[in-house]
Amino acid sequence: MRKVVYIEIDEEVTAVYDRVKRVKQKDIYLVVPRKAILFQSVVNLRILKSKLEKDKKNLHLVTTDRIGIHLAEQAGIPVYHNIEVEEIKAPNQDTPKMRIEPIQARRNEVLKDLPKRVMEKKITIGELIKEYRKGSKKTKKGVSTELAGVYNYVRPNRKFMGFILALSVGLFLVITYIALPGATVYVKPKFDNIDYTVNITMADNRKNQTLLSQNKPHVIASEEIMTVTKQTKVFNTTSKRFDGVNAQGFITIISNSKDEWPLKKETRFQTEDGLVFRIKEGVFVPPKSIDEEGVESPGTYTAAVEADPFDLYDHPIGERGNIGPSKFIIPGLSEFNQKLLWGESNDSMEGGVTRYQRVVEEEDIESAKKQIQDNLTLMAREDLNTHIEDMNRLNHTNLELMDDQRYLKTDLQELRISDDLEGSLRDKFEIFAQVEAKGVAYDFDQLFAILKKELKTRTHPDMQIRDDSIRPESISFEHVEEDEVLGQIKITVTIKGIQEFVIDSSLQAGLRFSNKVKERVVGLSVEEAESYIGNLPEVNEVEIKLWPIWLSKIPRISDNIEVKLMEN
């Protein structure tokens, strides 16, 4: 058996309970209109449901209010859009005769007596007109005036009809002015960056089965991943053995110094192209002199020089040393002293012959070893990531390698080079190397879920986290400590996101904000309303649109105002 009760829009939960607690039926259907006070909080519905359950009654709601439906689902109350009762009985019977229409706050109607069927024959309009015509004819002939009095036609008063028409138009315009206008308030909420740091323990799943079975909140499983990477790499020989002839000649060393300038044997003299020549013997360059007339003359000294096998850029000089008259700097001096002492050649350098061979020296081999090990370390990281991707496809997981050099360990297992490599004359040589790499992989989905949950619990009560702002790339790690014996790595993880004020009226905070805005802006101009809303702490930007477009003020009915989230 069920009972249908219509609720007024302003009825409190206590008044509703007082009305239904004496109902004898077990199933109670409350027909609640939109924006009823009962739907202001989910607590109201939970209190009403709890009290009726104590009375052994089942509560059902009939409504089309979007917020009410959402709150009823949270309270676990069945919701219907409408109810139709087919059987109609007298109110003193078990099932009252009712007609329920959804979303109309009217009292239950109980019809005690059904209208009796009229047994007399109905008079049709045609018969009525015929009777009227007969009466009119009789009246004209003087036979009877009775019917003429009954069906006498009276012409309506034109002024009265005009007044009624004007009043109707006026009422229509008033109703249209009050009920028809609407305003939509578009709000972009203020936002703020938020970050939170969580201590996470990564436990090796082979060594920490007991710990992982306890499902502690900040402990996630990890596992060691191992790969073997091999490479045979060919290197170019960089060392060169010069077998040619060095160019020779003479240069004049010029000094503008007041003092004599000594130069050691093998002092370098360099051209603009980087060709290096050295003096064969130590010399003393005389200082500048001043004659009787006060004219200064630089000191000069002519010395024999010979070109180096290789230039400044490690290229063989040989024939390139056969240069014409040139100017030389002494690269071992400072820039200031290079202006006091330099060299010049008046004749060409001669005798240079280019001829050299590439030879594998010890520094070539050591450089190649370091290069192949560094290269294998990079390749090992890629091999570990590839191996993890294969595991994810096979096991439908989302493991990820810890991107930290401290947890990527490589061990050089083999390095092969020719025994006669050092000192051999060759342009290229090859080295084979093999490394074993170990890394730590963890379940990224599990870690990301923990961080998102922790971040959302730290938001302001009136704010919410933008889901699209929580991204994997915003996560940063910081090493704390590692226990290799227990197979545990403790790290500090920081996640970042953006929190913004709630504007959506389907949520409790958004509903409070919407009601606050509606109450304060009714009847204001658009400029005044935008100024007020724009200064609220929850608002970053606001725009108000009115309908019809000729309106200049916000409607005075709050129900005609809608608050929406501004797109983008």
Side-chain angles (χ1 to χ4, degrees):
M1 308 296 291
R2 61 183 176 179
K3 173 70 174 178
V4 179
V5 179
Y6 289 89
I7 303 303
E8 298 293 344
I9 193 172
D10 56 349
E11 279 193 275
E12 299 284 347
V13 64
T14 54
V16 175
Y17 177 70
D18 290 337
R19 289 180 56 192
V20 302
K21 66 181 180 180
R22 298 183 180 87
V23 175
K24 297 180 181 180
Q25 287 82 354
K26 183 178 180 181
D27 292 318
I28 298 176
Y29 288 75
L30 298 184
V31 180
V32 187
R34 294 180 61 190
K35 301 183 180 179
I37 293 180
L38 189 62
F39 287 154
Q40 282 189 347
S41 172
V42 70
V43 178
N44 292 342
L45 299 178
R46 288 175 176 169
I47 292 174
L48 184 59
K49 178 186 177 185
S50 176
K51 287 184 171 291
L52 291 177
E53 286 178 350
K54 290 181 180 179
D55 297 338
K56 298 182 178 180
K57 293 181 174 62
N58 299 325
L59 177 62
H60 306 268
L61 293 182
V62 181
T63 185
T64 58
D65 190 296
R66 182 165 55 88
I67 297 177
I69 294 173
H70 177 67
L71 296 179
E73 291 176 350
Q74 291 184 355
I77 301 174
V79 184
Y80 307 92
H81 286 280
N82 54 57
I83 292 181
E84 294 182 2
V85 180
E86 296 178 358
E87 186 178 358
I88 301 177
K89 296 182 180 180
N92 57 353
Q93 297 179 6
D94 292 338
T95 304
K97 176 196 124 185
M98 304 170 187
R99 179 172 300 150
I100 302 173
E101 297 178 2
I103 321 308
Q104 294 185 3
R106 62 177 65 172
R107 296 298 183 186
N108 296 348
E109 298 178 359
V110 180
L111 303 178
K112 295 183 179 180
D113 297 323
L114 294 174
K116 296 181 181 181
R117 184 177 182 86
V118 180
M119 301 305 294
E120 298 177 359
K121 182 180 178 181
K122 297 180 181 180
I123 301 175
T124 64
I125 295 177
E127 292 175 344
L128 186 62
I129 294 174
K130 289 180 180 180
E131 188 70 22
Y132 172 75
R133 289 176 177 175
K134 290 180 180 180
S136 298
K137 292 179 181 180
K138 291 181 180 180
T139 302
K140 290 180 179 181
K141 294 179 180 180
V143 177
S144 174
T145 60
E146 186 175 345
L147 287 177
V150 174
Y151 295 99
N152 185 28
Y153 174 75
V154 179
R155 183 181 296 274
N157 190 306
R158 291 187 176 181
K159 292 183 179 181
F160 179 74
M161 290 297 293
F163 171 75
I164 294 297
L165 181 60
L167 181 62
S168 300
V169 172
L171 289 175
F172 175 76
L173 293 177
V174 171
I175 294 173
T176 302
Y177 178 77
I178 296 176
L180 184 61
T184 304
V185 180
Y186 295 95
V187 175
K188 179 183 290 185
K190 279 188 178 178
F191 63 89
D192 187 20
N193 294 321
I194 182 174
D195 58 72
Y196 185 67
T197 301
V198 184
N199 294 322
I200 300 292
T201 299
M202 295 185 176
D204 190 291
N205 55 12
R206 294 175 299 178
K207 299 180 180 180
N208 298 272
Q209 294 183 0
T210 303
L211 176 63
L212 294 172
S213 63
Q214 297 174 2
N215 294 324
K216 292 187 176 181
H218 292 170
V219 178
I220 65 175
S222 65
E223 60 179 293
E224 187 179 64
I225 308 297
M226 183 182 69
T227 59
V228 174
T229 304
K230 306 175 184 179
Q231 185 184 36
T232 300
K233 187 172 178 60
V234 177
F235 297 90
N236 292 320
T237 303
T238 58
S239 298
K240 302 170 185 176
R241 179 180 297 170
F242 185 74
D243 292 335
V245 180
N246 297 323
Q248 298 182 2
F250 293 91
I251 64 171
T252 300
I253 305 173
I254 302 173
S255 173
N256 274 330
S257 175
K258 296 179 181 180
D259 302 315
E260 185 181 53
W261 204 306
L263 295 176
K264 294 181 180 181
K265 179 182 178 182
E266 302 293 333
T267 298
R268 293 174 299 158
F269 285 80
Q270 180 180 311
T271 66
E272 292 181 356
D273 297 333
L275 301 180
V276 178
F277 290 79
R278 298 177 186 266
I279 59 177
K280 297 182 179 182
E281 300 293 338
V283 298
F284 290 90
V285 182
K288 67 180 180 179
S289 59
I290 303 176
D291 59 15
E292 295 177 354
E293 298 179 358
V295 178
E296 293 184 354
S297 299
T300 60
Y301 188 93
T302 302
V305 294
E306 182 179 344
D308 275 0
F310 300 95
D311 63 9
L312 183 64
Y313 309 106
D314 201 29
H315 297 151
I317 296 179
E319 295 177 358
R320 295 169 55 222
N322 301 329
I323 60 175
S326 304
K327 185 174 181 179
F328 300 83
I329 65 169
I330 303 176
L333 298 181
S334 65
E335 291 185 7
F336 176 78
N337 288 334
Q338 286 177 2
K339 296 178 181 178
L340 298 178
L341 192 68
W342 69 93
E344 294 181 1
S345 63
N346 297 321
D347 299 321
S348 300
M349 303 293 178
E350 298 176 349
V353 177
T354 302
R355 187 170 60 247
Y356 67 91
Q357 292 179 320
R358 293 187 181 273
V359 59
V360 180
E361 303 288 356
E362 182 181 359
E363 55 266 24
D364 294 322
I365 298 175
E366 294 301 323
S367 175
K369 286 181 180 179
K370 184 178 184 307
Q371 185 176 344
I372 196 171
Q373 289 186 53
D374 293 342
N375 194 41
L376 281 174
T377 300
L378 297 176
M379 293 176 60
R381 182 189 296 271
E382 296 178 1
D383 289 346
L384 286 172
N385 282 318
T386 301
H387 181 62
I388 291 174
E389 290 175 1
D390 294 339
M391 293 176 60
N392 289 335
R393 283 193 295 268
L394 182 63
N395 302 322
H396 303 288
T397 55
N398 189 20
L399 297 178
E400 188 165 311
L401 182 69
M402 284 197 66
D403 191 13
D404 194 316
Q405 189 63 33
R406 287 168 291 189
Y407 307 118
L408 178 62
K409 301 173 183 178
T410 57
D411 179 29
L412 181 62
Q413 293 183 326
E414 187 177 359
L415 181 65
R416 293 200 303 261
I417 61 176
S418 302
D419 295 335
D420 59 347
L421 181 60
E422 185 176 352
S424 61
L425 300 175
R426 59 181 74 184
D427 294 336
K428 299 178 183 294
F429 64 94
E430 67 178 25
I431 294 180
F432 170 81
Q434 175 177 306
V435 297
E436 179 184 74
K438 294 181 180 179
V440 177
Y442 62 94
D443 189 334
F444 181 81
D445 290 342
Q446 185 181 4
L447 175 65
F448 196 51
I450 292 174
L451 296 176
K452 286 181 65 176
K453 181 179 178 181
E454 291 289 343
L455 187 64
K456 289 185 176 181
T457 59
R458 298 305 188 273
T459 58
H460 187 278
D462 292 336
M463 303 181 80
Q464 63 182 359
I465 294 289
R466 289 185 189 172
D467 287 333
D468 59 350
S469 71
I470 307 178
R471 300 179 179 179
E473 53 266 26
S474 70
I475 298 176
S476 59
F477 297 85
E478 183 177 345
H479 174 77
V480 178
E481 61 178 337
E482 180 181 6
D483 191 330
E484 294 185 4
V485 177
L486 296 178
Q488 297 178 6
I489 300 175
K490 294 183 179 179
I491 60 175
T492 298
V493 188
T494 301
I495 186 170
K496 298 180 181 180
I498 297 176
Q499 62 176 353
E500 63 182 5
F501 282 94
V502 179
I503 303 300
D504 188 358
S505 58
S506 64
L507 302 176
Q508 193 67 27
L511 181 61
R512 290 196 301 269
F513 172 79
S514 178
N515 291 336
K516 177 174 68 174
V517 169
K518 292 179 180 180
E519 291 173 359
R520 295 298 300 271
V521 303
V522 290
L524 298 180
S525 66
V526 173
E527 292 76 12
E528 292 173 338
E530 288 182 344
S531 176
Y532 166 73
I533 300 174
N535 289 323
L536 293 177
E538 301 93 338
V539 178
N540 184 45
E541 186 178 343
V542 61
E543 181 183 0
I544 299 177
K545 293 183 178 180
L546 301 179
W547 191 90
I549 58 175
W550 60 78
L551 292 181
S552 60
K553 292 187 176 182
I554 307 295
R556 295 188 175 274
I557 300 178
S558 60
D559 289 347
N560 290 1
I561 304 173
E562 188 175 7
V563 179
K564 289 186 176 182
L565 184 67
M566 185 181 295
E567 296 182 358
N568 299 328

